């Protein structure tokens, strides 16, 4: 059922809704059957294990909100990667939702979950829904006139300990995009078909040596091949972006705490530095390491991260403690479902990148799958000794192949 608001709750709602009716986003093609590939950020088991270090015992009938679902790409994955969940997907654009309903209908998404609701509603108008274990709101809040009101509306919908995944634009990596947006706005091309035509023409008219043209052709041409994606990047009528300092002021809200980046490898200075420079970087507190990476990598175009809901007393769980060898052997585990090519030693991992595991690691995972749920890893019927087992478990955890179970 659709619940269009009687009056816009955000000043940008009418213009943004009309924009996405013209250009339903994202422009991923429709297809029959399950969506291609996996993304562990849409698999709640994977997210909880990444943030907490372990999962609660099964069953885990997650309640999920897709806040700003657009054409349903994320909704489709959320259904297929979280079987048995209850999923509510909302968006303000009727045009985008029509595509979302067709997409999830063709993929069989509803058959994967206990409940799927796709509704035309503002994320600012969801009082009475929830509580949710997981809220996915990717690329949405930065299109509100007042993004902080969006965050304040979502936080109360989380259960204590629940997780919110956000994706917000970053200033640094959008330098060229911002200038292109301003240039097109100055020329008054508009946010409709004429703007799309003239925006594309701009990149063929500018000199080949022009920085904006080169940046688009080298970095964004493939991502913006679909008209909706091009329009979303260069013609959007309402957009806010952040640097790290403003981001952490933005998320400093009652009821939640920062629980980590969902692309932590981007914020590791080891991908940029080595030798003494890396040693100096790694001696810094995490927040200063992140600031250093932001300074050194001007291509970071977005922030993606988790927030955790605090309990009623204002408390929130801290970062998980490292697992001791004894605790690892006593723990049960499950295979991450975000793997392609299983069972094999040659896989595509949860980031859709090639991943190779050893024969002993494969044997451990197959033994774990064959054993009753919750069987301690140390009790699996394998020839591997404790040290070999622990080494295999630590590598499987690092590669997100194995998800541990909380005792």
């Amino acid at each position: 059922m659709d619940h269009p608001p009687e009056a816009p709750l955000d000043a940008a709602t009418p213009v943004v809704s009309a924009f996405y009716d013209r250009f339903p986003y994202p422009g991923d093609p429709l297809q029959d059957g399950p969506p291609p590939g996996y993304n562990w950020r849409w698999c709640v088991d994977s997210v909880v294990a990444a943030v907490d270090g372990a999962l609660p015992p099964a069953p885990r009938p997650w309640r999920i909100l897709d806040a700003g679902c657009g054409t349903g790409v994320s909704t489709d994955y959320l259904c297929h990667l979280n079987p048995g969940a209850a999923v509510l997907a909302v968006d303000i654009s009727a045009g985008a939702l029509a595509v979302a309903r067709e997409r999830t209908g063709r993929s069989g998404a509803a058959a994967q979950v206990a409940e799927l609701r796709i509704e035309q509603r503002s994320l600012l108008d969801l009082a009475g829904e929830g509580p949710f274990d997981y809220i996915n709101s990717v690329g949405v809040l930065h299109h509100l006139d007042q993004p902080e009101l969006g965050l304040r509306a979502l936080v109360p919908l989380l259960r204590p300990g629940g997780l919110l995944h956000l994706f917000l634009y970053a200033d640094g990596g959008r330098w060229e995009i911002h200038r292109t947006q301003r240039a097109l706005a100055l020329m008054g091309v508009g946010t409709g078909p004429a703007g799309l035509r003239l925006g594309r023409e701009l990149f063929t008219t500018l000199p080949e040596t022009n920085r904006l043209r080169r940046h688009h052709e080298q970095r964004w041409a493939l991502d913006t091949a679909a008209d909706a994606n091009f329009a979303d990047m260069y013609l959007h009528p309402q957009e806010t972006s952040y640097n790290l300092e403003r981001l952490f002021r933005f998320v400093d809200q009652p009821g939640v705490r920062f629980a980590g980046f969902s692309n932590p490898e981007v914020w590791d200075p080891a991908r940029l530095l080595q030798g003494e420079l890396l040693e100096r970087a790694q001696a810094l507190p995490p927040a200063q390491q992140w600031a250093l990476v932001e300074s050194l990598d001007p291509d970071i175009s977005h922030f993606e991260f988790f927030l955790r809901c605090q309990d009623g007393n204002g408390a929130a769980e801290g970062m998980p403690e490292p697992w001791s060898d004894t605790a690892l052997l006593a723990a049960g585990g499950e295979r991450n479902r975000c793997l392609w090519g299983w069972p094999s030693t040659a896989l595509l991992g949860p980031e859709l990148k090639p991943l190779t595991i050893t024969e002993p690691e494969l044997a451990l995972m197959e033994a774990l799958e064959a054993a009753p749920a919750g069987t301690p890893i140390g009790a699996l019927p394998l020839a591997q000794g404790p040290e070999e087992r622990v080494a295999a478990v630590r590598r499987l955890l690092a590669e997100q192949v194995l998800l541990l179970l909380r005792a």
Side-chain angles (χ1 to χ4, degrees):
M1 179 184 295
D2 291 343
H3 303 266
E6 294 181 2
L9 295 169
D10 182 84
T13 295
V15 67
V16 173
S17 178
F19 177 78
Y20 282 126
D21 285 345
R22 287 192 297 274
F23 297 110
Y25 178 86
D28 296 38
L30 298 170
Q31 66 170 45
D32 296 319
Y38 296 118
N39 182 328
W40 68 270
R41 299 160 191 83
W42 288 322
C43 175
V44 181
D45 286 354
S46 296
V47 171
V48 171
V51 174
D52 291 348
L55 289 170
R60 295 180 287 273
W62 303 119
R63 301 196 73 234
I64 301 170
L65 170 64
D66 198 7
C69 66
T71 60
V73 173
S74 52
T75 307
D76 205 20
Y77 280 97
L78 286 166
C79 290
H80 282 274
L81 292 178
N82 299 283
V87 178
L88 170 62
V90 302
D91 201 273
I92 58 173
S93 166
L97 287 172
V99 180
R101 292 187 177 105
E102 182 178 358
R103 183 187 308 280
T104 54
R106 289 176 59 173
S107 79
Q112 303 298 314
V113 292
E115 179 184 47
L116 171 60
R117 295 156 56 200
I118 300 177
E119 300 180 356
Q120 186 181 4
R121 300 172 70 178
S122 166
L123 61 83
L124 300 174
D125 188 28
L126 295 177
E129 299 289 356
F132 294 100
D133 300 287
Y134 190 64
I135 298 178
N136 180 74
S137 192
V138 169
V140 179
L141 295 188
H142 53 222
H143 292 315
L144 295 177
D145 181 59
Q146 299 182 69
E148 63 277 5
L149 295 185
L151 180 58
R152 291 173 192 163
L154 293 177
V155 169
L157 300 176
L158 284 167
R159 68 162 176 81
L163 293 167
L164 168 59
H165 186 223
L166 294 177
F167 173 115
L168 299 172
Y169 289 145
D171 288 339
R174 294 180 71 79
W175 189 94
E176 293 85 354
I177 295 170
H178 289 160
R179 279 150 184 79
T180 303
Q181 290 171 338
R182 287 198 292 270
L184 292 171
L186 283 168
M187 290 185 284
V189 304
T191 60
L196 177 67
R197 174 178 57 81
L198 292 168
R200 291 200 181 278
E201 185 176 323
L202 176 65
F203 289 119
T204 60
T205 301
L206 289 170
E208 292 183 0
T209 56
N210 177 272
R211 175 171 171 172
L212 302 186
R213 175 174 176 171
R214 285 189 291 107
H215 185 261
H216 172 77
E217 291 176 344
Q218 294 169 9
R219 184 159 186 208
W220 298 116
L222 184 60
D223 286 351
T224 59
D227 286 347
N229 295 9
F230 186 97
D232 185 74
M233 178 167 288
Y234 293 112
L235 303 178
H236 204 289
Q238 176 62 46
E239 177 180 310
T240 300
S241 61
Y242 300 83
N243 61 21
L244 266 179
E245 181 181 355
R246 293 198 306 275
L247 177 77
F248 281 109
R249 284 205 304 268
F250 173 70
V251 302
D252 185 16
Q253 302 286 342
V256 289
R257 70 159 179 84
F258 182 77
F261 291 106
S262 60
N263 57 347
E265 67 285 349
V266 168
W267 299 97
D268 183 354
R271 75 178 179 87
L272 300 169
L273 300 173
Q274 56 185 331
E276 182 182 348
L277 290 170
L278 179 57
E279 291 175 6
R280 287 175 177 267
Q282 291 174 331
L284 297 171
Q288 291 185 31
Q289 291 190 36
W290 302 333
L292 176 63
V293 170
E294 181 184 43
S295 296
L296 294 175
D297 187 355
D299 286 332
I300 294 175
S301 61
H302 67 272
F303 301 105
E304 55 181 272
F305 56 96
F306 302 113
L307 300 180
R308 177 184 287 289
C309 181
Q310 297 172 317
D311 64 26
N313 299 317
E317 298 178 34
M319 298 302 291
E321 293 293 325
W323 287 79
S324 68
D325 291 357
T326 300
L328 285 177
L329 292 173
E334 297 179 5
R335 175 175 60 84
N336 192 334
R337 65 174 64 93
C338 298
L339 299 171
W340 263 21
W342 186 264
S344 171
T345 57
L347 306 165
L348 285 181
E351 297 280 6
L352 268 185
K353 296 176 181 177
L355 166 65
T356 301
I357 63 175
T358 66
E359 290 289 350
E361 289 165 353
L362 175 62
L364 188 151
M365 291 302 304
E366 289 185 318
L368 194 63
E369 289 195 293
T375 299
I377 291 171
L380 295 174
L382 293 166
Q384 303 165 3
E387 290 186 6
E388 185 181 3
R389 236 173 255 224
V390 165
V393 166
R394 292 197 183 281
R395 184 167 183 277
L396 291 166
L397 287 173
E399 298 288 357
Q400 291 183 284
V401 174
L402 170 64
L403 309 180
L404 292 179
L405 294 175
R406 190 178 304 129

